[in-house]
Amino acid sequence: MTTKDGTTHFAPELHIPNKTFDIGFYKNFGAVEHFCFRNDDGSIHVAELNIDGAIFHVHETMRHSAGSLEPISAKGVTAVIGLFVPDVDEVMQKAIKAGATQVNAPRDYEYGYRQGMFKDPFGHYWQIQKKIPQ
């Protein structure tokens, strides 16, 4: 996806179970919803959100998408979302308060990053990180 200013960036698509009606976790975590298209029964088809300008989508699992699974039915992690932020500890606390489960507490690593990891209510793993100034 190319933005208005011509830069290129990733916009991951996180698959959620069919018949999901509530993605409030993401809003409670601080995401801003750009749009949300719902199915006739009111369940979510696709929503576009952003966290401080980092765009991502949540999308119901589609039968025609070969091999696409969400973490619950896949019985495991399908991808890890890396989110670079100014304050790892603050963002981790916000995620836990919103309903995430901590996987790894934030800590500094020898390769120059401070990182922590959480699992969101849909089973997606998020690695919250920042490069430590040397």
Side-chain angles (χ1 to χ4, degrees):
M1 176 178 200
T2 303
T3 61
K4 291 178 191 176
D5 67 0
T7 61
T8 300
H9 66 277
F10 283 103
E13 181 175 285
L14 308 179
H15 289 185
I16 56 176
N18 293 338
K19 305 291 183 188
T20 296
F21 293 89
D22 181 17
I23 55 170
F25 163 78
Y26 298 111
K27 294 177 193 174
N28 293 335
F29 177 48
V32 175
E33 184 179 287
H34 294 180
F35 63 77
C36 182
F37 292 107
R38 294 185 177 266
N39 298 310
D40 291 341
D41 65 359
S43 64
I44 295 167
H45 173 67
V46 63
E48 181 178 273
L49 304 110
N50 88 67
I51 298 172
D52 294 331
I55 295 172
F56 67 101
H57 299 90
V58 292
H59 199 297
E60 71 178 325
T61 303
M62 304 292 289
R63 284 185 222 161
H64 68 273
S65 298
S68 68
L69 295 172
E70 40 75 30
I72 295 169
S73 64
K75 297 182 175 142
V77 176
T78 56
V80 174
I81 307 303
L83 185 65
F84 282 84
V85 299
D87 187 332
V88 172
D89 297 86
E90 178 185 331
V91 173
M92 285 289 294
Q93 290 172 6
K94 191 173 186 178
I96 303 308
K97 186 176 178 185
T101 303
Q102 181 174 285
V103 174
N104 295 320
R107 72 179 185 98
D108 295 345
Y109 288 89
E110 64 279 358
Y111 47 82
Y113 282 74
R114 179 162 185 77
Q115 296 173 314
M117 185 177 287
F118 69 81
K119 180 173 76 170
D120 75 23
F122 297 103
H124 299 286
Y125 279 57
W126 293 69
Q127 183 159 271
I128 307 305
Q129 54 199 338
K130 78 177 255 181
K131 188 157 182 61
I132 301 168
Q134 300 295 339

